[in-house]
Amino acid sequence: MYSRGHAGRAASPAHAGAAAAARLACLSALLLAACNAPKDAPADTDRAADTDTGAPSERPILTSPAEAVDQDPAEGVFHVELRAAPATYEVDGAAVDGYAWNGQVPGPTIRVGVGDTVTALLQNDLADPTTAHWHGLRVPAAMDGAGWVDGGVAPGTAYTYTFTATSPGTFWYHPHLDVGAQVDAGLYGTLVVEDPADPAPDREVVLVFDAWNEHDPADLDAGAGDDHHALTDPSNTLWTVNGLVDPRFPATAGERIRVRAVNAANTSYLALSWPDMRLVATDQGRLGAPESPESVVLAPGDRAEFEWVVTRGFDVETLPWVASGGAAFGDPRRLLSVEADAGAATPLDWPAGDATPAEDPGRTDLLYVFQGGGTGDWLIDGEAWPDVTVKTAALDADTIVEVRNLSATNHPFHLHGQRFEVLSVDGVPVPARRVEDTVDVGIRQTVRLLLHADNPGDWLLHCHLLGHEEGGMMTLLRVE
Ligand code: C2O
Ligand code: CU
């Protein structure tokens, strides 16, 4: 998660450079999975006319994904059954032959409290092995659903994951085998761990964003081992919110709505923007104090929480933003509209936490260098998964991690089973404390992290652009 204070929307010379670089990169074979070149805005006049004329709108109404119902009567235990199976569902009026958990895309939202135990029975009714990986949660290593240890859950079999929700936040779950194809097909859901210290909003909405047409749909049901990840035309990218294209969200003036946003796309970034943004949490829970950024970049795998203080209607947009360099040319795209009459509202009172970032002690305990692409593999420290050297971090000690990106595309750095604090980006300390499990590392950028690894085991560490991950950009960190 990365937020910008005052990034103007008008194209500037810096943007021009990024856009030119992006176009150049698209011409080369360097960016197999990250070539999201700027383009002209899609013709959207019909939809605009709907709102302008007040004619009855055909835009769908947005609701949160259906929540899982606890199937265990015991207090403090949440039992859910997730059936992964082929499913046909609609995206923008067209039938998609994909996969779904319990027939719904996104899958059921699992909502628990801190300290609750989750038991999730995964029934695999797919033709390929699958897993459920609990992205961002500090689960026991054997429950991580990482897939590489045991080959995952075989077709026609079931497995029960058991773990305790140790800290609050907005997390998500997705398979970790043949990950690009399975996530793209529709296997992703949200897991909310509620914080008892949070103020009660008038309403809460979960927004799971996914980008379609990232890949050639013909690749979708090819078997494991095939290349699912050849990009067709990335400028075709179509965003859905909880499976809906450009929905509207009716609200009432005065409402305070808690928004939990997840970017479940394989390769496409969001640069979310709307008037009077109020950011209250990132990957790993509440900020020390709410912030008012002008836009928030969510890389694939990233989450953020916001408060909508409804005083009028507004559009939620994504600004032109590319993995091959960041802010770009083009018009913002509308993702959804919040519809409301004008009226007064008072923001929620969020309890103050520690907003001061940790100090960088200056030493580096672990260095990760991300590079590669082109016709070769995507590499971490010159190695491609699974031929990797396992590095070690001491349990319950502070480990300073430096991530350097030497390649021509951004990489969202993700570490399983732990959380970390961001110390600095290119030597500039972060202005406020950020606790994350996924952090975007820009082209030629160096990001320094404070990892206090408190969860023993061997943990995957990888780029969350799924094509890069499968192209080799993944390694293991041992915590002991
Ligand atoms: Cu969501 Cu290994 O990742
Ligand atoms: Cu990457």
Side-chain angles (χ1 to χ4, degrees):
M1 210 294 309
Y2 172 81
S3 54
R4 285 192 292 173
H6 296 283
R9 288 190 189 178
S12 68
H15 290 123
R23 283 192 200 99
L24 268 182
C26 287
L27 295 174
S28 77
L30 276 172
L31 298 179
L32 282 179
C35 206
N36 212 352
K39 62 183 269 302
D40 294 328
D44 204 11
T45 39
D46 296 350
R47 283 175 184 142
D50 278 352
T51 21
D52 292 351
T53 61
S57 172
E58 282 167 23
R59 296 168 65 192
I61 295 198
L62 179 71
T63 54
S64 292
E67 297 207 354
V69 177
D70 180 11
Q71 294 169 50
D72 189 323
E75 179 83 8
V77 180
F78 192 102
H79 183 68
V80 59
E81 293 184 6
L82 297 168
R83 181 173 165 266
T88 302
Y89 49 88
E90 229 178 67
V91 176
D92 201 25
V96 172
D97 289 320
Y99 299 156
W101 307 100
N102 296 359
Q104 70 177 79
V105 179
T109 300
I110 300 169
R111 182 181 294 274
V112 297
V114 175
D116 285 352
T117 296
V118 177
T119 59
L121 179 132
L122 170 59
Q123 171 66 43
N124 182 7
D125 288 343
L126 301 171
D128 294 308
T130 189
T131 70
H133 163 60
W134 311 94
H135 181 126
L137 287 148
R138 287 172 294 153
V139 306
M143 296 295 151
D144 193 44
W148 63 275
V149 199
D150 54 10
V153 184
T157 70
Y159 181 82
T160 300
Y161 298 90
T162 305
F163 56 88
T164 300
T166 53
S167 52
T170 300
F171 306 99
W172 66 301
Y173 60 96
H174 62 78
H176 222 284
L177 280 172
D178 197 13
V179 58
Q182 293 196 6
V183 173
D184 210 37
L187 294 179
Y188 49 76
T190 308
L191 194 153
V192 171
V193 183
E194 293 189 329
D195 188 339
D198 283 348
D202 299 307
R203 229 184 333 161
E204 179 175 313
V205 64
V206 171
L207 306 178
V208 185
F209 294 94
D210 193 6
W212 299 84
N213 305 339
E214 290 183 304
H215 306 287
D216 185 342
D219 289 340
L220 194 65
D221 38 41
D226 292 337
D227 177 17
H228 308 278
H229 310 295
L231 274 180
T232 48
D233 178 2
S235 63
N236 282 336
T237 297
L238 171 77
W239 283 101
T240 54
V241 194
N242 302 345
L244 303 174
V245 177
D246 191 29
R248 55 201 187 90
F249 184 80
T252 309
E255 271 192 296
R256 287 86 45 93
I257 301 172
R258 182 182 190 145
V259 181
R260 298 179 183 266
V262 179
N263 183 355
N266 282 34
T267 62
S268 300
Y269 284 67
L270 287 164
L272 295 172
S273 182
W274 57 81
D276 304 322
M277 239 186 177
R278 190 163 155 87
L279 175 70
V280 298
T282 57
D283 288 348
Q284 292 280 335
R286 205 172 53 224
L287 297 170
E291 296 176 16
S292 306
E294 191 163 291
S295 66
V296 168
V297 172
L298 285 190
D302 253 338
R303 293 89 62 214
E305 296 177 38
F306 303 92
E307 181 186 352
W308 286 340
V309 184
V310 180
T311 56
R312 58 179 156 149
F314 58 91
D315 288 343
V316 169
E317 297 178 328
T318 185
L319 307 179
W321 212 98
V322 294
S324 47
F329 276 127
D331 292 321
R333 286 211 198 175
R334 188 170 72 192
L335 299 165
L336 66 116
S337 302
V338 175
E339 297 180 341
D341 294 332
T346 328
L348 293 166
D349 194 8
W350 296 83
D354 187 1
T356 315
E359 216 154 298
D360 189 336
R363 67 169 199 276
T364 301
D365 300 313
L366 287 176
L367 171 68
Y368 289 105
V369 178
F370 281 52
Q371 61 188 129
T375 51
D377 289 327
W378 291 99
L379 306 171
I380 298 177
D381 300 338
E383 298 174 334
W385 178 267
D387 301 315
V388 298
T389 307
V390 180
K391 291 181 178 174
T392 302
L395 183 66
D396 290 328
D398 284 352
T399 300
I400 306 298
V401 180
E402 181 166 310
V403 186
R404 286 192 211 151
N405 177 3
L406 300 187
S407 70
T409 175
N410 291 28
H411 300 288
F413 170 96
H414 172 50
L415 172 60
H416 286 211
Q418 315 288 339
R419 54 183 179 178
F420 50 76
E421 212 183 306
V422 182
L423 296 173
S424 64
V425 177
D426 279 343
V428 181
V430 294
R433 189 163 183 269
R434 282 275 186 281
V435 186
E436 311 278 10
D437 52 66
T438 307
V439 63
D440 192 46
V441 186
I443 295 174
R444 305 272 160 185
Q445 238 172 27
T446 296
V447 173
R448 285 173 62 82
L449 312 169
L450 169 62
L451 168 68
H452 188 92
D454 58 2
N455 193 8
D458 286 353
W459 301 100
L460 289 177
L461 180 161
H462 63 85
C463 171
H464 219 287
L465 300 184
L466 301 183
H468 294 189
E469 174 183 339
E470 293 188 300
M473 202 165 246
M474 181 156 82
T475 187
L476 274 179
L477 176 64
R478 175 164 301 156
V479 175
E480 64 182 11

